[in-house]
Amino acid sequence: MSMLAVFPELSGSLIVLGVAAGLLSAMLGVGSGILLVPALVLIVGLPQKSAQGTALAVMVPMALVGAARYAANPNVDISFMRVALLSVGAIVGALIGAAIAARVPGIVLRRIFAAFLLIVAARMMLGTRGAKPTVDGSEQTPVEATTPDTNAMD
């Protein structure tokens, strides 16, 4: 039995949703859950917890491919130590978060997720704290501002 035969009425929608999630995730550096969780709940009809679990499972292969593409760019600095430290924290957080989610009703998780999206959207609209404008009009984060420019002598 093919994978598409399992969800014949949704297979095209799921593939398009996956393309959109991959595109947004790699282009904007956001977790695919921002798009996938609401879409899986509202369009596909999955329960909140199933949508969250599905979005997390999709992130693994998508993030690996996206990170590899970024790492191939010589202008992008992906520090192994930064990734390792973030990963340790993320793994601990995922274990705790999954345990909490198992005990919280789906409707409560849905409301927390919606509130989180609203807060993040408001913060993004109002500007990032500590970002400084650069000569070309882009924003420089505090980490970038304190990192020596290795190309300054070019």
Side-chain angles (χ1 to χ4, degrees):
M1 178 184 302
S2 75
M3 283 193 340
L4 296 179
V6 177
F7 301 108
E9 70 283 354
L10 294 175
S11 58
S13 298
L14 292 173
I15 291 170
V16 169
L17 190 55
V19 169
L23 179 75
L24 287 176
S25 181
M27 188 172 73
L28 302 176
V30 298
S32 62
I34 289 173
L35 171 69
L36 286 180
V37 172
L40 290 171
V41 169
L42 300 173
I43 297 170
V44 177
L46 287 181
Q48 182 71 25
K49 291 180 184 182
S50 297
Q52 290 175 194
T54 301
L56 285 170
V58 168
M59 283 184 214
V60 174
M62 181 187 58
L64 289 173
V65 170
R69 290 295 302 252
Y70 272 96
N73 183 340
N75 297 320
V76 175
D77 173 32
I78 299 178
S79 161
F80 176 75
M81 184 54 70
R82 189 179 310 126
V83 170
L85 292 171
L86 285 167
S87 295
V88 168
I91 290 168
V92 171
L95 290 169
I96 295 168
I100 292 170
R103 291 174 175 75
V104 175
I107 189 67
V108 173
L109 290 174
R110 187 174 180 172
R111 290 179 179 149
I112 291 169
F113 183 76
F116 174 76
L117 290 179
L118 289 172
I119 291 166
V120 170
R123 293 289 307 258
M124 294 296 291
M125 292 294 289
L126 297 173
T128 48
R129 182 176 55 169
K132 300 175 185 171
T134 62
V135 176
D136 67 358
S138 62
E139 290 184 343
Q140 187 176 37
T141 65
V143 171
E144 292 169 336
T146 59
T147 303
D149 185 0
T150 55
N151 296 325
M153 301 301 259
D154 292 343

